[in-house]
Amino acid sequence: MKKLLKKLGLALLIVFVIAQFFGPEKNQGDLASVDAFLAETNPPEDVKIILKNACFDCHSDKTRYPWYNAITPVNYWLNDHIKHGKGHFNVSKWNDYSVKKKDHKFDELIEEVGEKEMPLPSYTWTHGDADLSPQQIEAIITWAKQVRTKYALQMERPE
């Protein structure tokens, strides 16, 4: 039995080492891809910093990867989070969204941040600067409500 466990452990170690040579494609687009979003929504400087530290890694085409992303299978887990985040809200594709969809995304942002559902706890564990204070949450929500007001006015105008 002891010999079998040693062989099994060795086999698992070999598989783990080989797996380190493989990994998912990284989310390494251009950070300039968020420029249209920033220009249109015009966040104040403090909110821009919050967005950079707490949102853009999973909700844009540019991710700042932590050191442990080099470890398989952690890199697949992170890639899955990024893929899901971008699927829900991708500021790099902002110009592709209709005004109605943009308004809806900001409605979701207000709800998710206000209920402390975003950023995800699994993200804030390793990104302390993304763990939002009550003041930061209020700043995000205030800005998001202003943006929604602008979109509401646009939707009221006949085309």
Side-chain angles (χ1 to χ4, degrees), residues 28-145:
Q28 294 187 314
D30 189 355
L31 193 55
S33 66
V34 302
D35 289 348
F37 170 80
L38 294 174
E40 184 174 309
T41 61
N42 195 27
E45 200 57 42
D46 61 330
V47 172
K48 275 186 197 174
I49 292 167
I50 295 167
L51 293 169
K52 182 181 176 220
N53 292 336
C55 306
F56 289 166
D57 280 346
C58 294
H59 295 286
S60 79
D61 289 344
K62 178 69 173 160
T63 300
R64 299 169 298 148
Y65 286 96
W67 65 268
Y68 51 83
N69 185 65
I71 302 169
T72 299
V74 174
N75 50 11
Y76 283 96
W77 179 72
L78 289 173
N79 187 58
D80 187 59
H81 273 276
I82 294 164
K83 202 158 82 176
H84 279 93
K86 286 172 60 175
H88 288 287
F89 183 50
N90 186 350
V91 299
S92 294
K93 304 288 184 223
W94 197 245
N95 285 338
D96 297 343
Y97 292 176
S98 68
V99 172
K100 185 176 179 177
K101 186 172 183 175
K102 290 175 182 181
D103 178 64
H104 179 68
K105 292 302 172 186
F106 267 85
D107 185 37
E108 289 176 337
L109 182 149
I110 291 166
E111 181 181 339
E112 295 288 321
V113 172
E115 293 178 2
K116 298 183 182 179
E117 297 292 326
M118 281 288 147
L120 293 174
S122 59
Y123 184 78
T124 59
W125 293 336
T126 55
H127 297 82
D129 54 351
D131 193 6
L132 303 180
S133 70
Q135 295 80 14
Q136 289 173 310
I137 291 170
E138 186 58 36
I140 287 275
I141 290 173
T142 299
W143 161 72
K145 285 179 178 178

Side-chain angles (χ1 to χ4, degrees), residues 2-12:
K2 205 174 192 180
K3 199 172 192 177
L4 179 64
L5 286 175
K6 277 187 174 183
K7 285 183 179 181
L8 183 60
L10 181 60
L12 287 173

